[in-house]
Amino acid sequence: MQVQQTEPLGESAISNAVELAVIGLGYVGLPLAREAATVGLRVVGLDRDPRVVDGLNSGRSHVDDVSDEDVRRMLAAGFVAYTDDDCLTRAQTVVICVPTPLNGDGGPDLSAVTAAVHAVAGRLRRGQLVVLESTTYPGTTEEVVRPLLELESGLRAGQDFALAFSPERIDPGNTGHGLRDTPKVVGGCTPSCAARAVAFYGKLVDTVVQAKGTREAEMAKLLENTYRHVNIALVNELAVISHELGVDLWDAIRCASTKPFGFQAFRPGAGVGGHCIPIDPNYLSYKVRSSLGYEFRFVELAQEINRRMPEYVVRRAQDLLNTAGRPLHGSRVLLLGVTYKPDVADQRESPAVPVARLLRQREAEILFHDPHVPEWCVDDVPVPRVDDPMAAVAEHDLTILLQDHSSYDLPALADAARLLFDTRGRIFRPGVEVL
């Protein structure tokens, strides 16, 4: 039952030396802590990994979008990272930014969230604001987080403390949109909770969008990424169909993109990777399946299509070698770019892994190059790295461009390669196979 309250919860009930504590100092939590420190808030961070904590306290960043210089400025502003939960006691606001991977059943693994909530509950004080930013299914804040906080603290959300959900919208490597100029969606358990959360995020971002409640804010995050997941699956299936029909899908996308309304371009690839698109739609599928008893068919189909793209890429690679008179078995194959998106070091859910695994199963000899990845293992087996991609493409039977990092001179690589398979649609010239 929600407790309605007409006046926002104030911060006068607590007087602490810290205005923000961030739990989870990864790709979401660390940029949030940086922005808060930049605007003058007193910030502490909590992370279970002592290597992360030691690195940050020594001025070293482990996140692509946060530089070492950024961390040094945070430290100069008073930021300290901890592994000890006691740092939460002094905070006016606590924001939870821990991972929510998939469990064995395909649903969200909330163990990190519940561990963070237990840590907060044991130190919860009247007047504090608690915000969950970790992506999850609609209902998590009300059905999981709120009961744990209230049961263990004896306090009531909306009366004694404020509780809200605000989905993270971090896009690693995006230099055009950062935390400040990306609108922040906020949903509170009660109107007073929402007011507190809106006021807090208003210090950090230019635009705060208030959702009707926590469930709507949770659904907004899943809608954003499910939209992308489904549309990427559409163009991935079109890539397969278009190749069989003799249609240049890339040119069709270029032409369709000239329409000034009613169309947004999505492009095919070797699969989908990263922290959001391959993972987040599963939370919604899980919720539909567990609560309603049937499947979210759009998401299930998109997952099926996107999961089979690495196999399609390897099949196309095999056909390309066969046409050149070489079997895939025993061929030397160079993979260029093994991260999930250009110009970052992030390898989470990268389709390069299943592509490499399938090539190994077919007994091809694989090597890789990536300017952002000094070492790479697939199934705990190291993949040899070449130092000079320009020289290597001339020595390998086939080169597969999996990620188009800006440091690659793609025309020059195409000229030097024996065979080049471009899965990114960047090199259109005779002799180059394009997905």
Side-chain angles (χ1 to χ4, degrees):
M1 181 179 69
Q2 291 190 344
V3 178
Q4 300 298 322
Q5 189 164 315
T6 57
E7 294 298 324
L9 284 168
E11 298 180 13
S12 58
I14 54 175
S15 177
N16 296 292
V18 174
E19 290 160 292
L20 172 64
V22 179
I23 304 179
L25 297 172
Y27 76 96
V28 175
L30 192 57
L32 176 66
R34 176 187 60 186
E35 191 65 36
T38 299
V39 300
L41 300 187
R42 292 157 295 176
V43 186
V44 297
L46 172 65
D47 199 283
R48 297 304 186 196
D49 190 338
R51 294 170 300 177
V52 167
V53 170
D54 291 343
L56 290 173
N57 288 335
S58 299
R60 299 189 307 273
S61 175
H62 59 288
V63 173
D64 283 334
D65 291 342
V66 178
S67 67
D68 290 348
E69 180 59 32
D70 289 335
V71 175
R72 288 192 287 270
R73 283 195 291 265
M74 291 168 62
L75 295 173
F79 173 79
V80 182
Y82 296 90
T83 56
D84 188 341
D85 298 346
D86 285 342
C87 68
L88 305 177
T89 305
R90 299 176 290 133
Q92 295 173 353
T93 298
V94 178
V95 179
I96 300 171
C97 304
V98 296
T100 47
L102 297 180
N103 60 28
D105 297 327
D109 180 354
L110 296 181
S111 58
V113 171
T114 55
V117 173
H118 284 302
V120 175
R123 295 156 181 82
L124 194 61
R125 300 291 183 268
R126 292 182 183 276
Q128 281 185 308
L129 166 65
V130 180
V131 183
L132 176 65
E133 286 206 7
S134 304
T135 306
T136 184
Y137 59 84
T140 301
T141 306
E142 288 281 0
E143 299 165 9
V144 177
V145 177
R146 181 175 184 171
L148 286 175
L149 289 176
E150 293 185 338
L151 178 64
E152 295 187 24
S153 71
L155 303 177
R156 294 285 294 172
Q159 291 181 336
D160 305 310
F161 69 95
L163 176 61
F165 180 83
S166 180
E168 59 89 2
R169 281 176 160 176
I170 299 295
D171 185 18
N174 189 332
T175 58
H177 295 286
L179 193 149
R180 173 157 288 280
D181 63 355
T182 301
K184 200 80 169 79
V185 174
V186 171
C189 287
T190 69
S192 60
C193 293
R196 276 287 306 279
V198 168
F200 167 71
Y201 282 110
K203 302 173 185 177
L204 309 182
V205 300
D206 296 333
T207 304
V208 180
V209 179
Q210 184 173 334
K212 182 179 179 180
T214 58
R215 286 180 173 83
E216 288 74 21
E218 290 161 339
M219 179 65 87
K221 171 64 174 180
L222 300 186
L223 175 59
E224 294 168 12
N225 289 324
T226 300
Y227 168 81
R228 295 170 64 196
H229 187 51
V230 168
N231 279 281
I232 291 170
L234 171 64
V235 294
N236 277 338
E237 187 159 38
L238 280 173
V240 177
I241 293 169
S242 296
H243 180 68
E244 297 298 323
L245 293 176
V247 175
D248 186 338
L249 178 63
W250 298 92
D251 190 58
I253 293 171
R254 179 185 65 84
C255 294
S257 298
T258 63
K259 186 178 180 182
F261 55 89
F263 181 81
Q264 180 179 353
F266 289 83
R267 292 171 176 82
V272 291
H275 58 286
C276 288
I277 299 177
I279 304 297
D280 295 358
N282 291 277
Y283 304 154
L284 195 50
S285 292
Y286 164 82
K287 183 63 175 178
V288 171
R289 197 164 52 243
S290 61
S291 298
L292 304 180
Y294 54 81
E295 293 183 344
F296 187 179
R297 288 182 292 173
F298 261 113
V299 168
E300 303 290 342
L301 181 59
Q303 290 167 344
E304 177 187 338
I305 292 169
N306 289 331
R307 274 199 300 261
R308 69 184 185 218
M309 285 306 292
E311 184 175 353
Y312 177 71
V313 166
V314 171
R315 190 166 71 247
R316 287 279 299 275
Q318 186 171 14
D319 292 343
L320 185 59
L321 281 166
N322 287 342
T323 301
R326 289 195 58 87
L328 180 57
H329 179 105
S331 288
R332 302 185 75 223
V333 180
L334 175 64
L335 304 180
L336 292 183
V338 298
T339 60
Y340 90 89
K341 67 183 296 188
D343 300 330
V344 300
D346 199 333
Q347 302 170 48
R348 285 173 296 176
E349 308 298 325
S350 171
V353 171
V355 168
R357 182 180 297 125
L358 290 165
L359 288 170
R360 273 182 174 165
Q361 289 173 1
R362 288 156 177 78
E363 298 190 44
E365 180 186 351
I366 58 170
L367 294 88
F368 89 100
H369 178 271
D370 192 302
H372 303 278
V373 181
E375 297 178 347
W376 188 46
C377 290
V378 174
D379 299 329
D380 297 324
V381 178
V383 179
R385 185 183 191 274
V386 302
D387 295 323
D388 183 355
M390 190 63 67
V393 295
E395 299 169 355
H396 286 71
D397 299 304
L398 173 65
T399 298
I400 304 177
L401 179 67
L402 293 174
Q403 200 52 262
D404 51 328
H405 296 300
S406 60
S407 61
Y408 284 147
D409 185 341
L410 298 180
L413 288 170
D415 288 340
R418 294 183 186 178
L419 287 174
L420 179 61
F421 183 20
D422 173 14
T423 70
R424 304 305 303 159
R426 292 292 308 279
I427 312 169
F428 295 95
R429 59 171 61 191
V432 176
E433 183 82 357
V434 181
L435 181 67

